Amino acid sequence: MANFNFSLVYFLLLLVAVAEIFPGAESGTYSGDVEGLKEFRSSVDPNSVNPGSCLSSWDFTFDPCDSLFSERFTCGFRCDVVDSDGASRVTELSLDQAGYWGSLASLSWNLPYLQNLDISGNFFYGSVPSSLANLTRLSRLGLSGNSFSGEIPTSIGSLSSLEELYLDHNNLDGSVPSSFNGLISLKRLELQSNKLAGEFPELGSLKNLYFLDASDNNISGQVPRTLPTPLVQISMRNNSLEGKIPESINLLTSLQVLELSHNRLRGSVSATLFNHPSLQQLTLSFNQFTSIDSPYATPGTQSQLIAVDLSNNDLRGLLPAFLALMPKLSALSLENNKFTGMIPTQYALKAVVPGSGVAPLERLLLGGNYLFGPIPSPLMVMKPGSANVRLVDNCLYRCPASFFFCQGGDQKSLMECKRFSPMIP
């Protein structure tokens, strides 16, 4: 009898220990969260729920959190015990990319403990629900790669805990809401590949934002003068941005990538970009720039730039010699502009014998200009595969196809060269 009592006490203690380690094991899902999951499931068109997908397994005759990762609820959400009442709360709703579709516009989103909502890579349509603002604990919102349309609701700007926002690759239009300044915890913002228009808001209040991509839209106006100082990457290619790049870019001391190609930017490429303390990749191709400002003291020698693409602009004058002084620069494209004069010997030397501690030019693209004179002698010893060099479609004295960097196009006619540049002999 004593042994039986001891075994019973031991078993009861074991149950208590298990309950402490797995406090939600028998608690069940909070009833409001069950209704929230049911509401979401009912908004998905049944014809889009394929066998084997997450939603095909959801069976609400069983408790969701207690049955998670079983045959009834194989995947699609996560539960945690977050308060003292012991009930499990839904903290993540993350669907598989199984081709679901339906409109979510009327959902109440009554899941107050939800931290991660990701339904990317499906075919959800209609407007982005303004009721998403009810998810006050949300830290990640992923709606990428769906068919959402209409304007971005201003109410999203109230999600002060949001750290990542993915609205890219949809059909959203209207302007980017200025209410985004309320996203004070935001670190990553992706809006690319939509139909967004209007001027981009000043987002200087976002003191944590390090990644911004608003490419492939129809955003107009100028590059914002006030941007978050922690930004590491700015991508706003293929828009309708106009004017000059603001000098305030130099205040973004962590910036590594600036991608503003395929816009309507004009004027001079600012010298501050070439002495920027952290910038590594500068892409300004397919704009309307006409000149390059040379840095003053020790031009380029302090630059961190690795790749510069200024191709397909309206740049004129001589090739800037200071670009060859940049110690880390290994890719330079100045193609399809209106540069004239001879190719600086410094360019050739950096491609062939850059010197100790200096990165060689592995890509030097100068085709489609009005460069004349002989090819610099250091280039003549280069062999195919040693570097990507292109000198086609210029006014060079002799550039036969036997040289690999002259292959792929003829030089311009003498008449065209002299019409553009009377300096050509």
Side-chain angles (χ1 to χ4, degrees), residues 50-73:
N50 299 311
S53 64
C54 285
L55 290 184
S56 69
S57 69
W58 287 17
D59 181 356
F60 287 101
T61 59
F62 296 86
D63 183 271
C65 292
D66 279 353
S67 306
L68 187 55
F69 305 129
S70 71
E71 294 181 357
R72 275 87 185 189
F73 291 90

Side-chain angles (χ1 to χ4, degrees), residues 152 230 372 410:
I152 301 172
F372 61 81
D410 296 330

Side-chain angles (χ1 to χ4, degrees), residues 127-309:
S127 59
V128 174
S130 60
S131 54
L132 287 169
N134 294 335
L135 303 175
T136 56
R137 290 181 171 85
L138 205 63
S139 62
R140 187 177 190 274
L141 176 57
L143 305 182
S144 304
N146 282 282
S147 299
F148 289 109
S149 57
E151 298 187 358
I152 301 172
T154 58
S155 58
I156 288 183
S158 66
L159 296 173
S160 58
S161 296
L162 199 63
E163 296 182 3
E164 300 177 42
L165 177 56
Y166 302 92
L167 299 176
D168 54 288
H169 294 86
N170 281 284
N171 295 310
L172 299 170
D173 55 30
S175 59
V176 179
S178 59
S179 64
F180 275 16
N181 275 291
L183 301 174
I184 55 175
S185 301
L186 198 65
K187 298 178 180 179
R188 191 177 185 99
L189 176 59
E190 299 203 23
L191 304 170
Q192 66 269 28
S193 298
N194 280 288
K195 300 175 181 177
L196 299 170
E199 295 188 7
F200 199 83
E202 306 280 342
L203 297 178
S205 62
L206 305 186
K207 303 301 183 184
N208 297 293
L209 191 69
Y210 70 87
F211 185 95
L212 168 63
D213 194 341
S215 302
D216 303 312
N217 283 287
N218 194 32
I219 296 170
S220 59
Q222 298 187 338
V223 178
R225 295 184 178 278
T226 306
L227 287 166
T229 52
L231 275 169
V232 173
Q233 177 166 337
I234 301 173
S235 297
M236 298 183 73
R237 68 179 178 275
N238 197 23
N239 278 286
S240 299
L241 295 171
E242 298 178 334
K244 296 183 177 182
I245 298 175
E247 297 291 326
S248 56
I249 287 287
N250 208 42
L251 301 176
L252 308 181
T253 54
S254 298
L255 189 65
Q256 296 180 12
V257 177
L258 181 60
E259 195 353 337
L260 298 175
S261 63
H262 293 269
N263 279 286
R264 301 173 186 171
L265 300 169
R266 61 178 66 244
S268 297
V269 180
S270 175
T272 60
L273 296 172
F274 301 108
N275 275 338
H276 193 282
S278 60
L279 192 61
Q280 298 178 14
Q281 179 180 325
L282 175 64
T283 308
L284 302 177
S285 55
F286 292 93
N287 278 285
Q288 299 168 17
F289 291 108
T290 54
S291 62
I292 298 175
D293 290 341
S294 175
Y296 294 108
T298 57
T301 56
Q302 303 301 315
S303 174
Q304 302 299 307
L305 281 166
I306 297 172
V308 173
D309 187 353

